[in-house]
Each structure stands twice: as structure tokens, then as C-alpha cells.
């Protein structure tokens, strides 16, 4: 349990640093792809900030999915690993633009990220409670 918590913390810190760079200095990243057109840069900055708006949740999701895989729960691991990219993002990319145009495409990313984090939390929180009960039982039996 401590290893899981440490991994979530490390993953969340590292992904949050990357997210902060994308949110605060998108011009720097986008300059790697060219600086010729100010209109393009303005558009790309807006797109980058919106689409990556929820990516800070990814570290928690990746570590939690890995937990299920490592503990012999391949079905949960498979579903949760496909959750963001396949089960949520693709339908959102098809549905949201019908109502919001280009903004629907941009907001599909953060909606998928945050929604999948909530769903993963619904799986991992009971799992951590179960693990904590198991640890307490083991300690009581050993004493």
C-alpha cells in the first residue's frame, strides 16, 4: 500500500510539472514546431491549454491501472487502461463537436481525463480499503 501511495505521489508530481509547463509556457513548447505564423501560434496555444487541461490526472490513472495488473486483476486493468483513450475519448470526439463545434474536440481531452480519473478512483478506493483491512488482519493474526 505504501508503494502504491509513493508511486501515485511521484507520478502525480511529475505529470503535474509537465502539465504546468504546458499551461504556463505553451509558446516555448510550440516554438519547437515553428514560429512563423502568429495566428497559428495563438490558435495552438489555446488548443494546447484546453486539450491538455485534465492531463494532470494521468499519473494516478496509470499507477492505479498498474496496481490492478500487478495484483492479478487483468480484467480491471484492461478496462481501466482502455478507459481514457478508447472508451471515453473516441465517443467524446464524435459527440461533443456535434454540439460545440471545434471546442467540442478540444474539451473532449479534459472531459475524458477527469472522467476516467473519477472512474478509476471508484475502483481503487474500495481496493485500497480492502487492502488496508487485509493488512490489519495479517498484523492481528501475527500478534
Amino acid at each position: 500500500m505504501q508503494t502504491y501511495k509513493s508511486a501515485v505521489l511521484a507520478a502525480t508530481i511529475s505529470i503535474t510539472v509537465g502539465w504546468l509547463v504546458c499551461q504556463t509556457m505553451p509558446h516555448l513548447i510550440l516554438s519547437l514546431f515553428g514560429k512563423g505564423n502568429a495566428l497559428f501560434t495563438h490558435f495552438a496555444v489555446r488548443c494546447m491549454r484546453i486539450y491538455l487541461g485534465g492531463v494532470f490526472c494521468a499519473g494516478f490513472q496509470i499507477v492505479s491501472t498498474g496496481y490492478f495488473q500487478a495484483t492479478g486483476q487483468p480484467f480491471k486493468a484492461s478496462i481501466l487502461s482502455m478507459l481514457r483513450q478508447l472508451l471515453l475519448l473516441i465517443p467524446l470526439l464524435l459527440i461533443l463537436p456535434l454540439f460545440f463545434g471545434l471546442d467540442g474536440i478540444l474539451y473532449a481531452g479534459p472531459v475524458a481525463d477527469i472522467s476516467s480519473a473519477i472512474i478509476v478512483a471508484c475502483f481503487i478506493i474500495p481496493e485500497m480499503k480492502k487492502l488496508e483491512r487485509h493488512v490489519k488482519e495479517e498484523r492481528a493474526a501475527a500478534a
Side-chain angles (χ1 to χ4, degrees):
M1 195 154 76
Q2 187 59 38
T3 302
Y4 170 79
K5 289 178 181 180
S6 297
V8 166
L9 181 63
T12 301
I13 289 170
S14 60
I15 199 88
T16 301
V17 169
W19 175 78
L20 285 170
V21 170
C22 290
Q23 295 299 316
T24 60
M25 297 183 284
H27 293 85
L28 180 67
I29 297 167
L30 292 167
S31 69
L32 297 171
F33 302 99
K35 302 179 198 176
N37 187 325
L39 185 59
F40 167 77
T41 301
H42 177 72
F43 175 73
V45 164
R46 179 176 181 271
C47 292
M48 185 178 206
R49 282 186 172 142
I50 293 172
Y51 191 77
L52 297 177
V55 82
F56 59 87
C57 301
F60 160 73
Q61 297 165 355
I62 293 166
V63 172
S64 297
T65 300
Y67 170 84
F68 286 113
Q69 185 175 1
T71 57
Q73 300 177 65
F75 183 73
K76 285 181 186 177
S78 297
I79 296 299
L80 295 177
S81 69
M82 291 187 295
L83 187 62
R84 193 251 182 218
Q85 296 289 69
L86 187 66
L87 302 176
L88 291 174
L89 184 61
I90 292 174
L92 288 167
L93 285 170
L94 296 172
I95 295 167
L96 291 182
L98 298 175
F99 300 99
F100 304 107
L102 177 61
D103 284 350
I105 293 171
L106 298 177
Y107 284 103
V111 169
D113 285 328
I114 294 167
S115 298
S116 62
I118 292 168
I119 294 168
V120 168
C122 290
F123 280 85
I124 200 69
I125 291 170
E127 186 72 20
M128 288 296 114
K129 288 180 180 178
K130 186 169 95 176
L131 181 60
E132 191 172 342
R133 278 193 307 273
H134 181 70
V135 168
K136 285 180 183 177
E137 289 170 5
E138 288 287 322
R139 286 183 182 157

